[in-house]
């Protein structure tokens, strides 16, 4: 059943007090910037989250902070601030703020400096540097929500990689795609061929384009198996996990390959930041299509054109056998689809099929959380006492027809 226009608005909007945005702000940590993007005493990085502007910086002692972009004095941008001696100093009048968001100096004020600074109204945000990402909690109160202790968070740096890019569409379009198993064998067929090498089980997805989906609810969201029938009474099973509010944990391409975590966070109503984390809990990650990122703040590449030239699609390459005409990257293919849908696409006009069950569950969980928040409740999946991010595991493999895919997932 198609969504109503009212449901679509509730699902997608995050700005100007929209319930979804306020729910996320209060009950979830947001990735702000790749940790490697911040240098001690280096330039602050402008970050936009949920329709508001911030700056992230690394202080002299290595600690990190996220502040409102505008200086609390005369509202000049702190993206222009000097960074040194464990704080940002506004270049307009010299006010200085530390990583906690406290004003510690106001050199143009006469009288009791310490007393004056302590009374300046500022928003203070809890910030941590873990898993190669600087995270921020933008909510109010003393108690932050549970931190997403996903399986890559405490791995050594050489066993994980982080990259991200800003995409000019609403965030939900990308979150849905992370749980859309049936698009992989179509949209990414050529990319998978190019990157497969020997033994990459993902090539099996192109041989069975209509997977059977089976679901299990979990304290963090759900896991599901996409089951593809193969010859010789075999089934290719891919067991992936959706973790509220935006994480898609995707199984490795083979037993020794990396797991990928896709998450798409709302910059504003019509822009999101796509994050890609790859990790291998068994060994160093090495070079992959994600770890080879030349710019962790701007990779994978967006499509090279706009709607006037079909977003730069290469039809000559398609005539030679490439399935999409976007050879730049797997991510580029996804971005082209999102952008072609429009800034916020109207789900009341779509016509769904049996392959869309995981997408519908993403929407249902997000809408339930927003409605719980509207009712004054903590969303059930935001602070579940059984929540254990570390135990989440996505796997793939070939099993016998009739075998229980859970044995593959739980071994």
């Amino acid at each position: 059943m198609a969504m109503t226009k009212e449901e679509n608005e509730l699902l997608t909007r995050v700005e100007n007090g929209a319930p979804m945005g306020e729910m996320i702000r209060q009950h979830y940590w947001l990735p702000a910037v790749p940790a490697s993007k911040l240098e001690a005493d280096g330039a602050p990085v402008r970050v936009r989250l949920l329709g508001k502007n911030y700056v992230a910086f690394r202080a002299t002692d290595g600690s990190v902070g996220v502040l409102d972009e505008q200086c609390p004095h005369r509202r000049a941008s702190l993206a222009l601030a000097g960074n040194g001696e464990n704080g940002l100093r506004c270049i307009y009048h010299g006010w200085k703020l530390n990583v906690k968001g406290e004003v510690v100096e106001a050199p143009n004020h006469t009288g009791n400096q310490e007393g004056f600074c302590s009374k300046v109204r500022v928003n203070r945000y809890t910030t941590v540097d873990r898993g190669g990402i600087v995270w921020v909690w933008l909510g109010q109160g003393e108690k932050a929500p549970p931190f997403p202790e996903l399986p890559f968070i405490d791995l050594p740096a050489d066993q994980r990689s982080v990259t991200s890019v800003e995409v000019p569409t609403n965030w939900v379009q990308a979150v849905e795609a992370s749980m859309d198993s049936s698009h992989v064998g179509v949209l990414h067929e050529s990319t998978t061929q190019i990157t497969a090498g020997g033994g990459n089980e993902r090539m099996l997805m192109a041989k069975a384009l209509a997977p059977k989906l089976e679901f299990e609810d979990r304290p963090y969201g759900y896991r599901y198996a996409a089951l593809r029938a193969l010859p010789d009474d075999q089934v290719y099973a891919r067991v992936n996990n959706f973790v509220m509010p935006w994480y898609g944990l995707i199984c490795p391409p083979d037993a020794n390959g990396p797991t990928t975590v896709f998450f798409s966070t709302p910059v504003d109503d019509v822009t999101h930041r796509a994050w890609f984390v790859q990790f291998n809990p068994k060994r160093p990650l090495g070079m992959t299509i994600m770890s080879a990122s030349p710019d962790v703040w701007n990779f994978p590449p967006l499509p090279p054109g706009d709607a006037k030239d079909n977003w730069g699609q290469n039809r000559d390459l398609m005539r030679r056998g490439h399935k999409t005409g976007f050879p730049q990257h797997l991510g580029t293919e996804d971005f082209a689809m999102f952008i072609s849908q429009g800034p916020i696409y109207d789900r009341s006009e779509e016509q769904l099929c049996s392959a869309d069950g995981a997408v519908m569950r993403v929407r249902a969980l997000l809408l339930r959380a927003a409605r719980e928040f509207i009712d004054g409740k903590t969303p059930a999946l935001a602070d579940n006492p059984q929540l254990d991010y570390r135990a989440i595991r996505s796997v793939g493999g070939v099993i016998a027809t009739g075998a229980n895919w859970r044995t593959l997932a739980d071994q």
Side-chain angles (χ1 to χ4, degrees):
M1 179 182 294
M3 296 178 63
T4 67
K5 291 183 181 293
E6 291 75 18
E7 288 173 327
N8 200 53
E9 288 288 293
L10 178 59
L11 177 69
T12 57
R13 299 286 182 180
V14 296
E15 293 186 64
N16 302 316
M20 186 66 76
E22 294 307 300
M23 184 277 292
I24 291 170
R25 186 186 308 279
Q26 186 63 31
H27 293 292
Y28 288 99
W29 289 81
L30 286 91
V33 63
S36 62
K37 183 72 174 172
L38 301 182
E39 299 179 3
D41 291 345
V45 174
R46 182 182 283 108
V47 177
R48 185 166 168 82
L49 301 168
L50 301 173
K52 295 187 178 181
N53 297 326
Y54 306 90
V55 292
F57 72 105
R58 191 178 298 278
T60 310
D61 62 6
S63 59
V64 292
V66 172
L67 311 176
D68 291 332
E69 181 182 347
Q70 308 310 128
C71 176
H73 177 217
R74 296 274 299 280
R75 312 299 290 167
S77 173
L78 291 176
L80 303 172
N83 184 8
E85 298 180 335
N86 285 316
L88 290 188
R89 189 179 295 278
C90 181
I91 63 172
Y92 198 5
H93 298 94
W95 285 31
K96 182 180 177 182
L97 292 87
N98 62 21
V99 293
K100 297 178 181 179
E102 300 165 333
V103 177
V104 292
E105 294 182 27
N108 62 340
H109 177 75
T110 59
N112 182 347
Q113 281 268 321
E114 183 176 350
F116 173 79
C117 289
S118 68
K119 295 178 181 178
V120 176
R121 296 186 307 277
V122 290
N123 294 315
R124 300 178 184 177
Y125 306 116
T126 305
T127 310
V128 297
D129 181 353
R130 294 185 64 186
I133 297 171
V134 173
W135 307 78
V136 61
W137 177 51
L138 299 174
Q140 298 179 344
E142 296 298 321
K143 184 182 177 183
F147 184 80
E149 303 265 358
L150 294 163
F152 69 86
I153 288 293
D154 290 329
L155 287 178
D158 66 351
Q159 290 180 236
R160 54 170 164 74
S161 70
V162 177
T163 191
S164 70
V165 65
E166 194 170 281
V167 184
T169 74
N170 184 262
W171 64 293
V172 181
Q173 285 156 231
V175 176
E176 292 170 339
S178 72
M179 288 292 101
D180 177 7
S181 185
S182 71
H183 89 279
V184 181
V186 180
L187 182 66
H188 301 314
E189 180 181 352
S190 293
T191 304
T192 302
Q193 277 185 325
I194 292 167
T195 60
N200 188 325
E201 292 176 339
R202 284 182 180 164
M203 289 304 302
L204 297 174
M205 289 186 289
K207 297 181 179 181
L209 299 180
K212 177 185 176 184
L213 306 182
E214 295 185 4
F215 297 89
E216 281 190 348
D217 292 332
R218 283 287 191 254
Y220 49 78
Y222 67 85
R223 72 175 180 178
Y224 80 108
L227 306 173
R228 291 172 166 86
L230 301 175
D232 302 321
D233 290 326
Q234 292 185 316
V235 172
Y236 177 42
R238 284 169 54 86
V239 183
N240 293 328
N241 287 269
F242 173 66
V243 181
M244 279 285 286
W246 42 55
Y247 303 100
L249 275 74
I250 310 303
C251 68
D254 54 69
N256 295 311
T259 297
T260 304
V261 189
F262 297 117
F263 44 114
S264 300
T265 54
V267 172
D268 50 39
D269 283 347
V270 295
T271 316
H272 74 270
R273 178 159 288 276
W275 294 83
F276 302 83
V277 174
Q278 282 196 325
F279 68 94
N280 194 320
K282 301 176 183 178
R283 58 179 174 82
L285 185 62
M287 283 291 102
T288 71
I289 62 170
M290 296 300 180
S291 67
S293 169
D295 181 354
V296 297
W297 197 231
N298 195 33
F299 186 85
L302 296 180
D306 57 25
K308 294 178 181 178
D309 67 350
N310 285 339
W311 297 281
Q313 185 183 48
N314 188 326
R315 284 279 171 173
D316 177 64
L317 189 61
M318 294 179 73
R319 282 191 290 272
R320 290 185 279 139
H322 195 281
K323 297 300 183 181
T324 69
F326 294 102
Q328 295 83 0
H329 197 276
L330 174 147
T332 311
E333 293 176 320
D334 283 320
F335 302 153
M337 298 302 98
F338 308 157
I339 295 169
S340 75
Q341 291 174 308
I344 304 179
Y345 94 84
D346 184 358
R347 290 164 180 78
S348 71
E349 297 290 333
E350 66 187 3
Q351 300 179 68
L352 302 180
C353 71
S354 61
D356 297 314
V359 171
M360 289 188 284
R361 281 182 176 245
V362 168
R363 297 172 183 178
L365 291 180
L366 286 168
L367 286 171
R368 187 178 80 183
R371 288 169 177 146
E372 288 170 335
F373 179 78
I374 291 170
D375 291 340
K377 302 174 184 177
T378 297
L381 295 182
D383 196 11
N384 190 315
Q386 297 180 319
L387 188 61
D388 183 3
Y389 289 105
R390 292 178 179 274
I392 301 169
R393 185 165 175 259
S394 295
V395 297
V398 177
I399 59 177
T401 298
N404 190 337
W405 57 265
R406 293 166 185 82
T407 60
L408 178 70
D410 296 333
Q411 65 186 7

